[in-house]
Amino acid sequence: MAIIETTKLNLFYGKKQALYNVSLQFPQKQVISLIGPSGCGKSTFLRTLNRMNDLIPNVRTEGSIQVKELDVMSARTDMVDLRQRVGMVFQQPNPFPFSIYDNVAYGPRLHGMTNKWELDQIVQESLMKASLWEEVSDRMHTSALGLSGGQQQRLCIARVLAVKPEIILMDEPTAALDPISTAKIEDLIVELKEKYTILIVTHNMQQASRISDRTAFFLNGRVVEYADTKTIFLNPVEKETQDYISGRFG
Ligand SMILES: Nc1ncnc2c1ncn2[C@@H]1O[C@H](COP(=O)(O)OP(=O)(O)OP(=O)(O)O)[C@@H](O)[C@H]1O
């Protein structure tokens, strides 16, 4: 069953159209890669799913997005609720300038959790799920800004996990990281799909083929092909997909 379904999604930045009739379905508890050359609309598409584009002036969106029963584009949709269910991790790790503990506790506190015992539990659990607990358990009250880039990115993932999302959107989450930190995040993504649905924008073809179950290839704001990852990389139907994955453009 699809956890996310977009239907005929069009998006305009002012007069410029960036997405054309994007209709995609994403099954639960899978990793889905969004690939395509720079400027083809991958990040724009990702941001429509939790309405992050609303923060950009002059954006207009048409079509529909369902996250299970939730009509994402409805004016009645509660943004705090939506972004709790559909969390996001960005290219540059962006921890708050607070302690490690306060970064992870931020979301639960925002949702009204005040009990210290409960907060301690959720912070520890989230850091464990993000494979960071062992590295930080003895310095929870020191600044998150003292962590390495890879640790900061896992902290940002822990921060998302702490509010118990169903879906995690990741926009090039390893682009700013070294190969070892990248491998840790990739392992983590594969572990997390046991419980979460993960959409990842990536320019790294090996990464997409290593970690994702399904892959969507975008070009000029359109989805050219969407299939299981093996098919996209080994046996694509469309010539444009073949050209892109074999490095002939992009
Ligand atoms: N805030 C914005 N205002 C106006 N146009 C934008 C904005 N953000 C993106 N665009 C345009 O929309 C199109 C799609 O951009 P988008 O960033 O979604 O592509 P992308 O595939 O994620 O690219 P990249 O891989 O380089 O991050 C591009 O033509 C881009 O210039």
Side-chain angles (χ1 to χ4, degrees):
M1 194 198 87
I3 188 167
I4 308 176
E5 178 166 8
T6 71
T7 310
K8 296 194 173 164
L9 206 59
N10 291 300
L11 184 139
F12 303 82
Y13 291 111
K15 289 194 175 123
K16 182 185 157 40
Q17 188 162 0
L19 293 176
Y20 295 82
N21 281 320
V22 178
S23 298
L24 289 170
Q25 294 189 350
F26 303 114
Q28 279 194 44
K29 298 183 184 172
Q30 290 201 355
V31 178
I32 297 105
S33 287
L34 310 178
I35 63 167
S38 207
C40 67
K42 307 177 295 293
S43 301
T44 297
F45 175 72
L46 202 70
R47 288 196 302 261
T48 60
L49 303 178
N50 69 350
R51 295 209 10 208
M52 292 291 282
N53 289 317
D54 287 16
L55 307 172
I56 302 171
N58 300 320
V59 169
R60 185 165 60 84
T61 314
E62 299 170 351
S64 84
I65 305 170
Q66 289 289 135
V67 170
K68 289 191 182 158
E69 77 298 340
L70 182 69
D71 177 359
V72 170
M73 286 175 38
S74 160
R76 286 189 300 277
T77 295
D78 179 286
M79 286 302 115
V80 175
D81 175 47
L82 173 65
R83 291 178 190 151
Q84 177 266 313
R85 292 178 68 173
V86 187
M88 191 150 193
V89 175
F90 299 88
Q91 177 172 347
Q92 285 296 333
N94 59 348
F96 303 128
F98 311 151
S99 70
I100 294 168
Y101 183 98
D102 286 342
N103 263 274
V104 185
Y106 183 87
R109 281 178 174 145
L110 191 69
H111 286 91
M113 190 183 284
T114 51
N115 180 296
K116 184 172 178 319
W117 186 85
E118 272 182 329
L119 279 170
D120 287 354
Q121 292 296 309
I122 205 150
V123 168
Q124 176 169 349
E125 198 181 283
S126 306
L127 287 166
M128 287 170 104
K129 283 192 201 155
S131 309
L132 188 59
W133 174 249
E134 285 183 11
E135 291 162 60
V136 300
S137 60
D138 59 348
R139 51 171 165 151
M140 295 294 286
H141 297 284
T142 62
S143 172
L145 303 180
L147 297 173
S148 73
Q151 288 172 327
Q152 288 189 6
Q153 197 60 307
R154 280 179 281 142
L155 180 68
C156 293
I157 294 173
R159 194 171 63 187
V160 168
L161 297 178
V163 295
K164 303 195 184 305
E166 294 168 67
I167 297 156
I168 308 175
L169 310 175
M170 298 188 172
D171 196 351
E172 299 190 56
T174 62
L177 305 181
D178 64 82
I180 293 173
S181 303
T182 295
K184 282 190 186 158
I185 301 268
E186 287 186 6
D187 290 346
L188 176 59
I189 290 172
V190 173
E191 277 170 35
L192 290 174
K193 80 168 176 180
E194 213 177 289
K195 293 213 173 110
Y196 310 92
T197 305
I198 298 170
L199 268 67
I200 174 171
V201 168
T202 181
H203 281 277
N204 181 332
M205 298 295 114
Q206 282 85 12
Q207 179 168 75
S209 62
R210 273 195 297 269
I211 65 173
S212 60
D213 301 287
R214 296 180 68 75
T215 296
F217 170 55
F218 281 72
L219 188 63
N220 299 328
R222 294 184 166 80
V223 177
V224 172
E225 195 164 350
Y226 173 50
D228 67 87
T229 296
K230 276 206 183 80
T231 304
I232 293 286
F233 284 97
L234 299 176
N235 201 13
V237 172
E238 303 296 334
K239 181 171 180 308
E240 287 160 322
T241 314
Q242 175 68 48
D243 287 349
Y244 182 70
I245 56 140
S246 59
R248 278 197 276 275
F249 68 92

